[in-house]
């Protein structure tokens, strides 16, 4: 059975790096039959993180933006987990440029 995947990125005031990561996520291949969501958890950012996330269009993922007002990466991760719908949950950082086969390698 094809998995449903939730990818969670927690970020704090790193809009520029996040934008590169999100552009790279658009290149990640989603195997046939799989479904994926990308959840960006904004952890009290004061930069353009919200706008960067809301303006991104990623073909293979449903993109969701969440604001977490309590600072801390573990709090942000738990917020992402609570909102996720995937059977498999993957975390990546806001400065990572994943390869095209990253999702399949991580989820199988």
């Amino acid at each position: 059975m094809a998995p449903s995947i939730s990818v969670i990125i927690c970020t704090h005031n790193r809009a520029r790096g996040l934008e590169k990561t999100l552009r790279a996520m658009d290149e990640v291949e989603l195997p046939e039959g799989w479904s994926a969501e990308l959840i960006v958890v904004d952890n009290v950012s004061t930069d353009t993180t919200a706008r960067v996330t809301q303006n991104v269009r990623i073909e293979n993922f449903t993109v969701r933006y969440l604001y977490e007002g309590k600072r801390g990466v573990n709090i942000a991760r738990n917020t992402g987990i609570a909102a996720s719908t995937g059977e498999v949950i993957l975390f990546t950082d806001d400065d990572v440029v994943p390869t095209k086969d990253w999702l399949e390698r991580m989820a199988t």
Side-chain angles (χ1 to χ4, degrees):
M1 185 159 104
S4 62
I5 312 291
S6 293
V7 176
I8 301 171
I9 301 173
C10 300
T11 188
H12 172 73
N13 285 338
R14 295 196 31 97
R16 274 210 246 183
L18 177 64
E19 187 171 17
K20 289 178 186 175
T21 297
L22 294 176
R23 275 193 254 125
M25 290 300 289
D26 191 36
E27 300 296 319
V28 172
E29 296 171 350
L30 185 66
E32 189 173 332
W34 290 26
S35 63
E37 66 179 350
L38 175 64
I39 301 171
V40 176
V41 182
D42 180 348
N43 195 207
V44 197
S45 296
T46 58
D47 63 0
T48 60
T49 295
R51 184 175 54 214
V52 164
T53 305
Q54 292 165 348
N55 288 336
V56 73
R57 300 293 172 255
I58 300 177
E59 186 176 324
N60 291 328
F61 293 83
T62 300
V63 179
R64 296 172 49 203
Y65 169 84
L66 301 175
Y67 182 82
E68 172 52 63
K70 195 170 181 186
R71 184 120 186 246
V73 70
N74 290 333
I75 293 167
R77 286 180 181 148
N78 286 330
T79 297
I81 291 168
S84 68
T85 61
E87 299 162 322
V88 176
I89 297 174
L90 301 175
F91 290 95
T92 193
D93 290 329
D94 57 10
D95 62 351
V96 169
V97 176
T99 60
K100 289 183 182 224
D101 63 347
W102 176 77
L103 194 65
E104 187 170 17
R105 286 175 169 255
M106 293 298 293
T108 57

